Amino acid sequence: MFKIRTLTVVEKKNSLIYHLDPRTKLFLLLSVGTVAISLDEPEHLLLVSVFLIPAYLLAGFELNKYKVIVLVILIGLWGMALSQAMFYRQWPRTVIMTIIPGDFPLLGRLTGGLYLYKEGLLYGLAQGLRFATMIASGLLVAWTTEPRDLLLGLVRLKVPYGMAFMFITSVRFLPVLVSELFTVIAVQRLRGADTVKLGRHTLRSAINILTPVLARSVKRAATLGASCESRAFNPNLPRTSLRELHYNRVDVMLSGAAVIVAAALVVTKVIFWLYCKDLLYFPELRWLYTIAREL
Amino acid sequence: MIKIENFTYTYPGRSAPTIKGLSVEITGGEFVLLTGRTGCGKSTVLKGINGLIPHLAGGRMEGKIEMDGLDTRQADISTLSRKVGLIFQNPDDQIFSTVVQDEVAFGPENLALPRKMIRRAIDKALKRVGLDEFRHRGTHMLSGGEKQRLAIASVLSMSPEILVLDEPLAQLDPRGTIEVLKTIKGLNDNGMTVILVEHRIHEVAHLVDRIMIMERGRIVLDDEPRKALAKIDVFKELGLRVPESAEFSRAMGFKEVALDLDEIKKMINDGIKPPLGPSPGHALLETPEKEDSGTTALEMEGACFRYDRRADFVLKDVTLSIKKGEVVSLMGNNGSGKSTLLLHFAALLKPSRGGVTVLGRDTHKLKAGRLAGTVGVVFQDSTLILFNETVWQEVTFGPRMLHFGETELKRKGEEAMDAMGIAGLRDENPLSLSGGQRLRVALASICSMQPEVILLDEPTSGQDKSNSDSMLGYLCELAKKGITILFTTHDIGAAIRYSDRLLIMNDGKIIADGPPRKITREIETLKKANLRPPLSFEIGQVLDIEAFCMEDLTGRAVCSR
């Protein structure tokens, strides 16, 4: 629980990923997200995820960060694949395992049988891989970019300063919030509260835990707000910046490639969708329809 | 010059004004200490000077605040921020950048200064607070004192003429306090006007030009330190801490109040012979030996702990045994391992090596929840402890969870509330109370469970003296009933007065363990942990007698422990 703060630390290593302009990283992030949403097949999504591995290795993070990302991905994959495999409601569906047979006394009759379906498993895996890809790329950007650079990157991309500042600040304090959450749970356990037991008191327990955390956050936000405002902060007025961003040739090439790949995929999917809906058909694009069908 | 004329302010949603017709003038270059009980309106005055009131706080303001003729109501916040810099109590709540220079650059960037000027402003500000070597360091790597100095630098970069600070020492350890006070005094010596809101009057009285005391939105005392401190009764009446030098001066009948040890030495050398009770060299007032209860409540055997496998050990081979019914204080700088040690005794942390036993139970095999009702913990930030809608629900939450009968629950709840002096707050929402009241509610909510061990993390920090005294006094009463108390503190006076035993930690190790008075004599050990003995001890050394509190010194009475 106390290692959470280490997750906020941006490491400074001498490798390409740290030297990229934050705008490039944001373009890459956006492109990976777009690709992940556009693809449907688990094997293609797996391929996109695999592309992130060299970037992670290149980053040379401390072990704690690798542990966290692996854990998050595994939990996401397992949760989504299992839940979709069990509760898949579409047809056709193929049973690959029986958990509770339909003729099992009481439970079988109550549930109508509980099975794992192949189609559900593949659908869940696709969802899980989508989630994993987005989380992994998001954390990669967060762990290799100083918040101030990210803020500046967002502003240079025409995101309103107030909104960008709010986003970066809330991300910055997120680990503090999680750490406080654990403290509150520990304190309440020492006062006899069962904070993990599910049942009719679950909602009450959740409120009990969240109340002090939110109260502390509101207090912190008020102080931070007053501190910023007393330092002439006004999101609507022009401001300058100490930092300079350098968008060099490597940045241009990487951003361009990422945006082109993502845009090409989206265009392909749109064209295919128009064809499937009988809205638009170009015979000379048959090769594209063939590719799109596989994606 | 700051000119406040008939300033009255009512917060939004309140009917009664927090500040009532306050008028005062502060000359440029003055160093003013503004003090008073919690909730008396000190921070509101600072916000008025800074322009947050009325520009951003809403509410209703009457009267006028002017700085060199500039009316705070007419000037915009940006203009005012170049006149007045505002610093808050907790640096962690105001620093949001991850790198030191970025935090300092924030103000000049908001003023749209060119990059060259921003760099110059950063250089100057960091140099003024002694952090010029830390420019590229991560803010998370700074100590408490360094963070507060960074907060100061982040407003200095806007070149204000006035610095207002709202309890900047409350969260700091002795080393941090010295660093920050040195910085503030340095700025004042260079002509900056400083208005400091602080409860720790004894730490700053000798540095300031003027002391103002507020009570219920009005100034009740405003004088230069010597004259203000001569009116000790006003301080005592309001439950404020009186510097020992002032108490000593009064007890000795000095013509004027001495502000620090050097002045006391000078007066003594000038021939004022103090009519003291004990004769010189008399071995005075040892802590009465506590009857050994025989039972060990808390034990640590060669305990080592680190938060991360690659990190340094925070606890290093700590061996310790605390008997049932003992009151033990724990001192040391931030980061010395005090809180980590405390959390081990609540089974919230388990040692990486060695063992910890709580009431005979090995914590390796124990989940924190299993100690519910047996061990109570009060954290420094009481906001994280409180979650019920009323004080009564808060105080009786633990007994209810532990299935106390209705009659016993009621009795325990009322007993704890009476003891903490919060019976009148029964139906209030705990989170709407002042810091001192919140802490007392938190403590009452632990005491109502009748735990066998109570662990407190800096219960005296940010509290006025009357609050600290009543709380620690109550804990001593509990100890007489066999409850074991372990508290961390930065206040050596409180440790001497209220604990049977003092532990001093430095760099993860216990470097001193024994009766507080015995430890206080070990000046070299104290120095290792950046601690100083109380002023009465130092005065005693000048007079060649042993004294650990003012009562010892004047021979009037023995300290309570």
Side-chain angles (χ1 to χ4, degrees):
Chain A
M1 91 192 225
F2 292 96
K3 289 180 196 167
I4 287 164
R5 277 177 194 265
T6 65
L7 298 179
T8 57
V9 179
V10 176
E11 292 174 47
K12 283 175 189 151
K13 302 267 165 69
N14 195 19
S15 74
L16 175 71
I17 188 99
Y18 292 93
H19 296 306
L20 288 177
D21 187 284
R23 284 166 290 186
T24 308
K25 292 184 201 175
L26 288 168
F27 280 130
L28 285 168
L29 180 64
L30 209 66
S31 302
V32 169
T34 309
V35 169
I37 290 169
S38 306
L39 294 174
D40 296 322
E41 295 301 320
E43 48 272 40
H44 297 144
L45 284 160
L46 185 65
L47 201 65
V48 178
S49 313
V50 167
F51 265 118
L52 289 170
I53 294 175
Y56 262 87
L57 293 177
L58 206 65
F61 294 131
E62 59 176 43
L63 191 64
N64 194 28
K65 285 180 175 149
Y66 287 116
K67 277 190 209 165
V68 167
I69 190 67
V70 168
L71 191 73
V72 169
I73 288 175
L74 288 181
I75 289 174
L77 272 178
W78 180 79
M80 291 211 189
L82 190 72
S83 62
Q84 292 298 330
M86 279 166 75
F87 303 111
Y88 192 69
R89 286 283 167 263
Q90 314 236 3
W91 296 92
R93 53 186 190 177
T94 319
V95 174
I96 49 170
M97 192 181 157
T98 304
I99 300 171
I100 302 172
D103 56 358
F104 193 81
L106 191 68
L107 275 179
R109 248 176 292 155
L110 277 174
T111 58
L114 198 55
Y115 309 94
L116 292 188
Y117 299 103
K118 181 186 165 193
E119 291 76 8
L121 184 72
L122 291 176
Y123 181 69
L125 273 177
Q127 294 289 356
L129 283 166
R130 229 172 243 145
F131 165 80
T133 309
M134 289 198 217
I135 288 281
S137 48
L139 285 177
L140 185 66
V141 172
W143 286 340
T144 57
T145 321
E146 283 292 348
R148 289 276 292 171
D149 289 340
L150 209 52
L151 174 69
L152 206 54
L154 287 168
V155 173
R156 294 280 186 272
L157 291 173
K158 303 292 174 206
V159 175
Y161 183 77
M163 203 182 283
F165 181 78
M166 205 161 64
F167 170 70
I168 296 296
T169 310
S170 52
V171 170
R172 154 90 174 79
F173 282 101
L174 209 57
V176 179
L177 210 72
V178 176
S179 168
E180 285 175 353
L181 196 71
F182 282 115
T183 305
V184 169
I185 292 172
V187 168
Q188 294 195 5
R189 281 188 189 158
L190 280 170
R191 287 175 69 189
D194 194 343
T195 49
V196 287
K197 193 176 172 185
L198 294 172
R200 65 193 172 95
H201 295 303
T202 307
L203 182 65
R204 186 68 247 173
S205 296
I207 293 171
N208 286 351
I209 291 167
L210 290 177
T211 304
V213 175
L214 288 176
R216 186 70 191 82
S217 301
V218 169
K219 199 175 153 198
R220 182 184 299 113
T223 307
L224 186 63
S227 172
C228 289
E229 278 156 352
S230 68
R231 283 187 274 167
F233 173 75
N234 187 336
N236 304 317
L237 290 179
R239 67 193 304 280
T240 48
S241 173
L242 170 70
R243 299 236 178 182
E244 287 174 82
L245 295 182
H246 300 286
Y247 202 64
N248 58 33
R249 200 182 298 168
V250 177
D251 290 302
V252 175
M253 278 161 61
L254 271 173
S255 310
V259 171
I260 288 168
V261 169
L265 188 64
V266 171
V267 169
T268 307
K269 290 293 249 184
V270 169
I271 290 173
F272 184 63
W273 181 81
L274 291 170
Y275 156 68
C276 289
K277 296 283 172 191
D278 287 333
L279 294 170
L280 203 61
Y281 173 68
F282 299 103
E284 54 274 26
L285 288 181
R286 257 179 289 178
W287 62 274
L288 190 68
Y289 297 141
T290 313
I291 294 172
R293 189 171 281 118
E294 297 300 318
L295 293 172
Chain B
M1 188 220 262
I2 303 169
K3 196 172 174 188
I4 303 177
E5 261 180 28
N6 209 19
F7 173 45
T8 299
Y9 179 72
T10 311
Y11 277 101
R14 288 201 194 156
S15 51
T18 302
I19 304 293
K20 297 163 191 165
L22 188 134
S23 294
V24 71
E25 284 183 15
I26 296 167
T27 320
E30 258 192 308
F31 190 164
V32 179
L33 168 64
L34 182 59
T35 191
R37 277 198 278 223
T38 311
C40 68
K42 307 180 292 285
S43 304
T44 310
V45 173
L46 295 193
K47 286 179 190 163
I49 293 171
N50 181 259
L52 288 176
I53 291 174
H55 290 289
L56 298 162
R60 201 172 66 247
M61 175 183 163
E62 289 164 37
K64 200 158 81 170
I65 301 178
E66 278 183 356
M67 266 164 294
D68 294 329
L70 182 75
D71 190 333
T72 57
R73 280 176 310 182
Q74 313 298 330
D76 58 36
I77 283 282
S78 172
T79 311
L80 288 170
S81 63
R82 300 189 80 160
K83 282 255 172 212
V84 189
L86 175 61
I87 305 295
F88 296 88
Q89 188 184 92
N90 188 351
D92 283 325
D93 284 355
Q94 51 192 315
I95 294 172
F96 57 86
S97 300
T98 49
V99 178
V100 166
Q101 70 164 357
D102 291 346
E103 187 67 26
V104 185
F106 183 71
E109 286 174 340
N110 289 334
L111 296 173
L113 298 183
R115 198 165 280 142
K116 206 173 167 188
M117 284 178 76
I118 297 175
R119 283 210 190 93
R120 214 176 295 149
I122 296 171
D123 289 343
K124 206 172 153 193
L126 287 177
K127 208 168 182 182
R128 288 175 89 180
V129 300
L131 287 179
D132 34 352
E133 309 260 308
F134 293 66
R135 192 182 176 118
H136 299 291
R137 192 168 288 193
T139 50
H140 68 285
M141 290 167 77
L142 303 180
S143 69
E146 286 161 358
K147 279 183 188 169
Q148 198 59 284
R149 279 152 63 201
L150 171 60
I152 294 173
S154 72
V155 299
L156 289 183
S157 60
M158 302 173 78
S159 309
E161 293 155 24
I162 301 157
L163 190 62
V164 294
L165 306 103
D166 195 357
E167 294 190 51
L169 312 177
Q171 313 267 332
L172 302 183
D173 59 14
R175 182 167 48 197
T177 303
I178 293 166
E179 285 172 11
V180 171
L181 282 178
K182 197 176 153 196
T183 304
I184 298 170
K185 184 64 185 157
L187 293 169
N188 175 250
D189 287 343
N190 285 317
M192 183 171 280
T193 310
V194 177
I195 305 171
L196 173 67
V197 164
E198 193 50 64
H199 283 301
R200 290 158 78 166
I201 303 165
H202 61 294
E203 309 248 24
V204 294
H206 64 289
L207 301 173
V208 303
D209 301 316
R210 188 168 161 191
I211 296 177
M212 287 185 202
I213 299 181
M214 283 187 73
E215 173 67 0
R216 293 182 190 183
R218 291 196 173 91
I219 288 177
V220 291
L221 180 67
D222 177 4
D223 221 326
E224 60 170 275
R226 263 176 240 288
K227 288 181 184 165
L229 290 169
K231 296 164 190 159
I232 283 180
D233 296 338
V234 178
F235 287 79
K236 288 195 169 169
E237 201 179 302
L238 296 173
L240 303 175
R241 186 163 184 164
V242 183
E244 288 183 307
S245 58
E247 271 203 84
F248 182 73
S249 303
R250 178 169 165 155
M252 297 305 107
F254 289 166
K255 274 184 191 161
E256 56 178 22
V257 171
L259 294 178
D260 56 23
L261 186 63
D262 289 337
E263 289 191 8
I264 288 174
K265 277 183 189 169
K266 189 174 174 297
M267 287 184 185
I268 291 170
N269 288 340
D270 284 349
I272 300 169
K273 281 282 171 205
L276 297 174
S279 58
H282 177 58
L284 184 82
L285 308 167
E286 285 303 325
T287 308
E289 277 289 318
K290 188 132 186 172
E291 204 176 300
D292 190 347
S293 69
T295 322
T296 301
L298 305 170
E299 201 166 13
M300 232 177 215
E301 185 65 47
C304 297
F305 178 81
R306 55 183 166 186
Y307 286 102
D308 194 292
R309 208 175 294 169
R310 291 199 303 179
D312 292 337
F313 278 100
V314 184
L315 290 186
K316 297 172 183 170
D317 197 20
V318 178
T319 297
L320 167 71
S321 171
I322 297 173
K323 300 276 182 208
K324 203 174 168 194
E326 261 191 308
V327 182
V328 181
S329 52
L330 183 56
M331 298 190 75
N333 273 308
N334 291 346
S336 61
K338 303 188 301 293
S339 302
T340 305
L341 187 140
L342 214 66
L343 293 174
H344 273 80
F345 285 132
L348 292 172
L349 293 177
K350 311 286 164 74
S352 315
R353 282 207 299 265
V356 175
T357 315
V358 178
L359 300 161
R361 298 153 86 181
D362 184 350
T363 61
H364 274 300
K365 301 166 192 159
L366 207 61
K367 283 187 177 168
R370 301 301 292 256
L371 290 173
T374 315
V375 175
V377 188
V378 179
F379 285 92
Q380 189 182 0
D381 187 353
S382 53
T383 314
L384 293 178
I385 302 171
L386 310 171
F387 53 90
N388 283 285
E389 281 161 30
T390 66
V391 168
W392 175 249
Q393 285 172 3
E394 195 68 62
V395 174
T396 54
F397 178 84
R400 206 176 292 282
M401 288 294 118
L402 297 172
H403 308 292
F404 280 31
E406 267 312 307
T407 324
E408 202 190 357
L409 181 143
K410 193 165 176 278
R411 190 170 60 82
K412 292 291 168 203
E414 282 170 357
E415 213 174 274
M417 282 178 51
D418 285 341
M420 286 293 113
I422 50 169
L425 305 171
R426 191 185 168 104
D427 297 320
E428 298 283 333
N429 185 319
L431 292 172
S432 69
L433 303 175
S434 72
Q437 288 169 331
R438 279 203 304 270
L439 186 68
R440 279 183 280 156
V441 173
L443 189 53
S445 69
I446 298 298
C447 292
S448 62
M449 293 191 293
Q450 280 194 301
E452 291 177 56
V453 176
I454 299 180
L455 310 168
L456 304 101
D457 198 5
E458 295 184 27
T460 52
S461 126
Q463 300 288 316
D464 55 39
K465 191 174 182 302
S466 62
N467 274 344
S468 293
D469 283 347
S470 67
M471 184 181 18
L472 292 173
Y474 176 64
L475 290 172
C476 291
E477 289 303 312
L478 291 178
K480 285 179 191 162
K481 295 177 189 167
I483 295 173
T484 310
I485 312 285
L486 174 60
F487 68 96
T488 67
T489 184
H490 291 313
D491 183 349
I492 196 164
I496 292 172
R497 195 173 274 268
Y498 294 105
S499 63
D500 304 313
R501 187 171 154 196
L502 170 61
L503 307 174
I504 295 183
M505 285 195 80
N506 190 36
D507 192 24
K509 292 178 188 158
I510 293 180
I511 57 166
D513 176 1
R517 287 153 193 264
K518 181 174 169 284
I519 303 288
T520 308
R521 286 188 202 110
E522 297 170 15
I523 303 294
E524 286 309 311
T525 310
L526 294 185
K527 270 187 194 163
K528 270 189 206 165
N530 287 293
L531 297 171
R532 269 185 73 174
L535 188 69
S536 18
F537 181 85
E538 292 177 312
I539 298 172
Q541 284 196 316
V542 176
L543 299 169
D544 198 24
I545 61 165
E546 270 202 320
F548 299 90
C549 58
M550 201 41 61
E551 289 87 345
D552 284 358
L553 202 57
T554 53
R556 284 202 304 269
V558 185
C559 283
S560 53
R561 291 196 84 75

